[in-house]
């Protein structure tokens, strides 16, 4: 029989910020590909609802409350994953915030909060997960960045802290990929364009902004969480073994324009 491609059967995945939006889409598609998925976010009940959906798909999951900025909670998330499933194979760093604010009005606390969730959280989860992956000589760390990562010929005003964090994620991904490649762990980033979620609501609900964005997207539509989830499944698979340190742009062609 022909080998099933992109098969994640019996892989153990953790997705942060997975109660809704892109994270939820990723968790469900990883489960469809056969992975058992730890669904983590700030709200445990909401995570449990996603786990219920995963079980309906025919896979298994675990809901874990985890604030990615809190090292104790991150370590606890890894501990619970090992307790239930025995190991960690795939980490998707996805939890993020994007509070729109003009640069001159951003307070130090607001700046720190965005960098803490979007960048420090990725470090804490990646480090804790990598320590487990190293034991098996195999792993995939996938960092959700954004086309707001810089150096792309297009800017995002009122999101300076967010853009700084997303640029940081790409640099972090490249450096970490170098350190972990000899240990069998691939580290990649995905940079989504505009995806229809709560986070993008301020952009999508403003008719003028929405039209401006659509005009820039050759595919003629905004993205859906499944568009990002498919890229995650690919990067998590055996077939993506030779891809590390890369940033995959999933934006309907926006940056090609
Ligand atoms: P979303 O719908 O707002 O979902 C993000 C989730 O992360 C929420 O459930 C949120 O919980 C959670 N979260 C926030 N702070 C957290 C923390 N400290 N610890 C754990 N979880 C936390 O956003 P999304 O659009 O799905 O975005 C997911 C990722 O894609 C983010 O990294 C984002 O930057 C990136 N992205 C999104 C777009 C887009 O257009 N949507 C484009 C490019 C990149 P609460 O709601 O309770 O705060």
């Amino acid at each position: 029989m022909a080998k099933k491609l992109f098969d994640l059967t019996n892989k153990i995945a953790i997705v942060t910020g997975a109660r809704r939006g892109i994270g939820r889409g990723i968790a469900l598609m990883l489960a469809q590909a056969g992975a058992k998925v730890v669904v983590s976010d700030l709200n445990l009940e909401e995570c449990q609802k996603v786990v219920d959906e995963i079980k309906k798909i025919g896979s298994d999951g675990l809901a874990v409350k985890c604030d990615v900025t809190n090292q104790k909670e991150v370590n606890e998330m890894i501990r619970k994953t090992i307790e239930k499933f025995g190991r960690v194979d795939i980490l998707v760093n996805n939890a993020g915030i994007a509070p729109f604010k003009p640069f001159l009005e951003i307070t130090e606390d607001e700046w720190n909060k965005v960098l803490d969730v979007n960048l420090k959280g990725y470090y804490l989860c990646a480090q804790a997960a990598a320590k487990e992956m190293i034991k098996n000589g195999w792993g995939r760390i996938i960092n959700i960045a954004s086309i707001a990562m810089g150096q792309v010929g297009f800017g995002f005003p009122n999101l300076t802290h967010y853009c700084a964090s997303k640029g940081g994620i790409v640099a972090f991904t490249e450096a970490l990929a170098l350190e972990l490649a000899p240990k069998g762990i691939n580290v990649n980033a995905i940079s989504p364009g505009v995806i229809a979620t709560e986070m993008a609501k301020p952009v999508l609900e403003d008719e003028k902004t929405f039209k401006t964005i659509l005009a820039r997207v050759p595919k003629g539509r905004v993205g859906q969480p499944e568009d990002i989830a498919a890229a995650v499944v690919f990067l998590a698979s055996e077939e993506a073994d030779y891809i590390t340190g890369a940033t995959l742009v999933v934006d309907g062609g926006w940056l090609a324009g």
Side-chain angles (χ1 to χ4, degrees), residues 11-16 18-20 22-40 46-64 84-85:
K11 296 287 187 209
I12 309 303
I14 297 174
V15 187
T16 66
R19 78 175 174 94
R20 70 177 191 196
I22 293 173
R24 173 179 164 275
I26 291 169
L28 293 177
M29 207 177 276
L30 285 171
Q32 275 167 9
K36 294 172 182 154
V37 187
V38 175
V39 176
S40 93
E46 296 276 308
C47 290
Q48 189 54 54
K49 287 184 194 162
V50 180
V51 170
D52 293 344
E53 290 182 84
I54 285 171
K55 288 188 174 161
K56 278 187 199 145
I57 290 169
S59 190
D60 198 4
L62 177 70
V64 176
K84 171 129 177 126
F85 295 121

Side-chain angles (χ1 to χ4, degrees), residues 19-20 22 41 66-68 94 145 162 166 193 195 197 199:
R19 78 175 174 94
R20 70 177 191 196
I22 293 173
D41 205 312
C66 176
D67 175 347
V68 296
N94 167 79
Y162 181 79
K166 293 300 182 178
I195 310 298
T197 68
M199 181 183 279

Side-chain angles (χ1 to χ4, degrees), residues 40-162:
S40 93
D41 205 312
L42 298 173
N43 181 317
L44 183 62
E45 278 174 28
E46 296 276 308
C47 290
Q48 189 54 54
K49 287 184 194 162
V50 180
V51 170
D52 293 344
E53 290 182 84
I54 285 171
K55 288 188 174 161
K56 278 187 199 145
I57 290 169
S59 190
D60 198 4
L62 177 70
V64 176
K65 194 253 167 199
C66 176
D67 175 347
V68 296
T69 67
N70 181 321
Q71 191 164 35
K72 274 196 188 135
E73 290 191 22
V74 169
N75 289 341
E76 191 55 12
M77 172 176 74
I78 301 293
R79 193 194 64 73
K80 284 179 176 162
T81 305
I82 301 296
E83 185 181 75
K84 171 129 177 126
F85 295 121
R87 56 174 208 281
V88 181
D89 300 308
I90 300 159
L91 167 71
V92 185
N93 270 322
N94 167 79
I97 54 173
F100 286 78
K101 200 147 191 201
F103 174 65
L104 295 178
E105 294 170 22
I106 294 175
T107 65
E108 188 180 354
D109 282 350
E110 288 167 342
W111 178 274
N112 286 343
K113 169 98 177 158
V114 171
L115 271 290
D116 268 4
V117 178
N118 295 7
L119 198 50
K120 187 180 109 175
Y122 281 38
Y123 139 67
L124 287 176
C125 293
Q127 191 181 62
K131 285 180 182 169
E132 290 301 323
M133 292 169 179
I134 283 168
K135 293 177 187 168
N136 308 314
W138 195 97
R140 298 280 191 263
I141 296 173
I142 300 162
N143 296 321
I144 305 301
S146 165
I147 57 167
M149 62 190 164
Q151 301 283 312
V152 297
F154 189 87
F156 294 85
N158 301 320
L159 280 175
T160 48
H161 42 8
Y162 181 79

Side-chain angles (χ1 to χ4, degrees), residues 144-156 159 162-163 166-167 170 189-195 213 216-217 228 247-256:
I144 305 301
S146 165
I147 57 167
M149 62 190 164
Q151 301 283 312
V152 297
F154 189 87
F156 294 85
L159 280 175
Y162 181 79
C163 293
K166 293 300 182 178
V170 172
I190 294 172
S191 281
V194 175
I195 310 298
I213 286 172
R216 289 183 179 277
V217 179
I228 306 307
T247 297
L248 178 55
V249 173
V250 183
D251 69 345
W254 181 337
L255 296 188

